[in-house]
RNA sequence: GGUGGGAUGGGUGAGUGGCUGAAACCAACAGUUUGCUAAACUGUCGUACGGGUAACUGUACCGCGAGUUCGAAUCUCGCUCCCACCGCCA
């Protein structure tokens, strides 16, 4: 969530920034600031009364010690009225506090200055297009048919055992998954990210920490018996490692990575977009997460973009990088780059990675801070990105690399798969 | 699943109603001493929010939430989590 101090000191800047998301937060912000003023006023009064009560109590204690019971009784009576006032003010202050927090939660992050206003995916800025789009002398087969033909993925079996969106990978399909995961993790390791194997279920506090809760609980699978949520991305457990953490100095750069399956209910999606591997309830992903000093987050974002870019180049997939417009960005993001690979048979660009900086928006909720040189606590910046999500990579790879003789495996992956062709 | 024990500052841990925002030790930081390292000595050392240009000051916080009391880390109740042992088990 946004810092209240930012609203106090730069209200106009926040309003202008948020207008890039095509929303007008003026009323909300005015309401927040009005309540904030009221809150501070009442809070001061409350604290004064508490101070008075504390003093009285001390006096009463002294009286008892000096055997001055009469005066103690008099003073006791004095506290009654103050205590009543205190209770009323306390309730008022608490109510204002929670109203302010709720309203702050309702405001999305302010887009970075370089982010342009826009409404639709069409408004996103094309940053780079890389690699030749494949052409075929035959009719290209979509990946769901290729997967069937070569017995790589069994969607029907998944339906039988679990339901739609939970495929089985088998044979070379399964090996290819394992190869991709190992390849992505090795690359992240080379880039200095520490590997974690994280829990796949998280508690409510973690869901709140990274912002899935309370609003988006419909997107997560939930185990009510134990009050645990299945993770929608490794971002949740990895980032929550640093929930309620105060780093001791400003000399830090934390780089984490982890492979996990991801579980998403995807309530409300339907149609041809969900065909085959395009949208699943369970899929595999390697995530990279960074926690940085504010002055380093721009550099970190660039490094992450170039890391993902290199992965796609090594995998020989044609891709493009888009900088999302204000209207297409996630709620918590200040700037997002989407990576899309071209999938030949579907003639479609498929999103395979989303790399974002959140600035202090996430860390404010997480209470993730560091001590600066002046010994003051400041919020860290967080960033994360997929590097990469597997299913659509697999879809593009199958479709783009198909030949009448079989599907070619990119040379970088062959040491991992142990085979060069699927046939 | 059963039975016990516990939750205090970065760590260990003292603290059963006011002198406790909290002893002591360790760690950390700054300094003195020292040929270097080490040791020793001295000092500093929780977080959040409010007020103040600032020095500073007020309030809250001893797992969480309620209660008793003029006053709660300390007493009462509820909850959560952790640990140990037993059972079961990859």
């Amino acid at each position: 969530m946004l810092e209240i101090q930012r609203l106090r000191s730069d209200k106009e800047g926040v309003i202008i920034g948020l207008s890039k998301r095509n929303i007008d937060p003026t009323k909300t912000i005015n309401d927040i600031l009005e309540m904030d003023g009221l809150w501070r006023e009442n809070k001061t009064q409350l604290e004064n009364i508490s101070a008075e009560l504390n003093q009285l109590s001390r006096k009463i204690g002294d009286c008892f010690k000096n055997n001055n019971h009469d005066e103690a009784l008099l003073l006791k009576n004095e506290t009654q009225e103050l205590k009543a006032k205190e209770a009323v003010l306390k309730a008022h202050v608490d109510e204002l506090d929670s109203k302010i927090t709720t309203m702050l939660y309702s405001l999305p992050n302010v887009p970075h200055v370089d982010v342009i206003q826009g409404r639709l995916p069409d408004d996103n800025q094309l940053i780079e297009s890389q690699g030749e789009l494949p052409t075929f002398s035959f009719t290209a087969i979509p990946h769901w048919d290729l997967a069937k033909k070569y017995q790589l993925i069994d969607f029907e079996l998944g339906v039988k055992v679990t339901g739609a969106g939970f495929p089985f990978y088998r044979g070379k399909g399964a090996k290819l998954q394992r190869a991709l995961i190992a390849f992505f993790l090795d690359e992240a390791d080379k880039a200095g990210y520490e590997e974690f194997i994280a829990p796949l279920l998280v508690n409510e506090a973690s869901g709140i920490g990274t912002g899935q809760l309370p609003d988006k609980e419909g997107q997560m699978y939930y185990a009510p018996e134990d009050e645990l949520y299945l993770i929608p991305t490794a971002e949740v457990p990895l980032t929550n490692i640093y929930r309620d953490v105060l780093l001791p100095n400003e000399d830090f750069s934390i780089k984490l990575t982890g492979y996990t399956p991801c579980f998403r209910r995807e309530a409300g999606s339907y149609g041809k977009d969900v065909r085959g591997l395009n949208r699943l309830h369970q899929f595999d992903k390697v995530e990279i997460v960074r926690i940085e000093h504010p002055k380093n987050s721009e550099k970190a974002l660039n490094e992450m973009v170039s890391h993902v870019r290199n992965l796609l180049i090594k995998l020989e997939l044609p891709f493009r990088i888009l900088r999302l417009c204000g209207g297409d960005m996630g709620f918590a993001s200040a700037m997002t780059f989407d990576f899309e690979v071209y999938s030949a048979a579907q003639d479609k660009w498929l999103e395979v990675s989303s790399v974002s900086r959140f600035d202090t928006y996430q860390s404010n909720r997480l209470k993730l801070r560091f001590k600066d040189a002046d010994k003051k606590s400041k919020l860290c910046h967080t960033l994360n990105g997929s590097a990469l999500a597997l299913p659509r990579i697999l879809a593009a790879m199958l479709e783009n690399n198909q030949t009448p003789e079989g599907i070619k495996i990119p040379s970088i992956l062959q040491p991992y798969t142990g085979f060069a062709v699927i046939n």
Side-chain angles (χ1 to χ4, degrees), chain A residues 173-407:
Chain A
K175 286 201 172 70
L176 187 50
Q177 287 288 106
R178 188 148 55 85
L180 282 165
I181 292 163
F183 167 64
F184 292 147
L185 285 173
D186 282 353
E187 293 293 313
D189 179 63
K190 280 186 220 157
Y193 292 86
E194 186 189 355
E195 181 179 345
F196 284 77
I197 293 178
L200 306 182
L201 288 139
V202 295
N203 57 29
E204 187 187 19
S206 295
I208 291 170
T210 29
Q212 282 71 29
L213 296 172
D215 282 352
K216 287 165 233 160
E217 67 258 73
Q219 284 299 318
M220 286 194 289
Y221 289 97
Y222 179 57
E225 192 80 359
D226 297 293
E227 299 183 71
L228 295 173
Y229 296 85
L230 278 158
I231 59 169
T233 157
E235 171 198 342
V236 178
L238 290 182
T239 311
N240 272 285
I241 294 171
Y242 286 91
R243 167 155 51 84
D244 291 321
V245 166
L246 178 57
L247 299 166
N249 57 56
E250 51 184 356
D251 183 25
F252 65 91
S253 175
I254 294 162
K255 301 166 79 174
L256 320 170
T257 188
Y259 150 70
T260 66
C262 301
F263 304 91
R264 299 189 182 177
R265 295 187 61 229
E266 301 291 1
S269 47
Y270 57 93
K272 65 182 188 329
D273 282 350
V274 309
R275 190 94 193 260
L277 292 169
N278 290 354
R279 176 159 280 136
L280 299 172
H281 289 304
Q282 179 184 328
F283 65 95
D284 296 303
K285 178 161 66 64
V286 171
E287 182 81 359
I288 52 178
V289 170
R290 297 181 65 149
I291 293 159
E292 296 286 345
H293 190 285
K295 69 173 193 280
N296 293 331
S297 57
E298 176 148 0
K299 178 167 160 271
L301 182 68
N302 291 335
E303 285 173 9
M304 292 167 83
V305 166
S306 111
H307 178 75
V308 174
R309 185 176 176 277
N310 282 329
L311 293 178
L312 292 171
I313 289 173
K314 286 182 179 174
L315 289 174
E316 302 164 41
L317 291 168
F319 67 92
R320 62 185 191 186
I321 306 176
L322 305 166
R323 178 157 59 202
L324 298 191
C325 68
D328 204 27
M329 276 201 314
F331 199 75
S333 173
M335 192 193 289
T336 296
F337 289 97
D338 267 9
F339 287 72
E340 298 180 341
V341 297
Y342 181 72
S343 199
Q346 299 182 74
D347 185 24
K348 261 167 72 167
W349 293 92
L350 302 176
E351 184 192 331
V352 292
S353 174
S354 193
V355 179
S356 305
R357 56 183 285 183
F358 302 98
D359 296 350
T360 59
Y361 194 88
Q362 243 181 2
S363 58
N364 192 26
R365 216 185 240 226
L366 285 164
K367 296 201 178 62
L368 165 52
R369 295 156 301 160
F370 67 95
K371 284 268 192 206
D372 73 4
D374 301 332
K375 302 269 182 201
K376 293 228 171 74
S377 302
K378 298 247 174 74
L379 292 169
C380 301
H381 279 197
T382 61
L383 306 92
N384 67 47
S386 0
L388 289 161
L390 294 242
R392 295 177 192 159
I393 291 285
L394 189 61
M397 198 179 285
L398 296 179
E399 292 186 14
N400 296 0
N401 297 358
Q402 60 184 299
T403 69
E405 291 76 42
I407 295 160

Side-chain angles (χ1 to χ4, degrees), chain A residues 147-161:
Chain A
K148 193 163 198 170
K149 177 175 172 189
Y150 295 109
Q151 295 197 28
L152 303 173
I153 305 169
D154 198 325
F155 292 98
E156 290 77 15
L157 209 52
V159 170
K160 173 186 174 186
V161 173

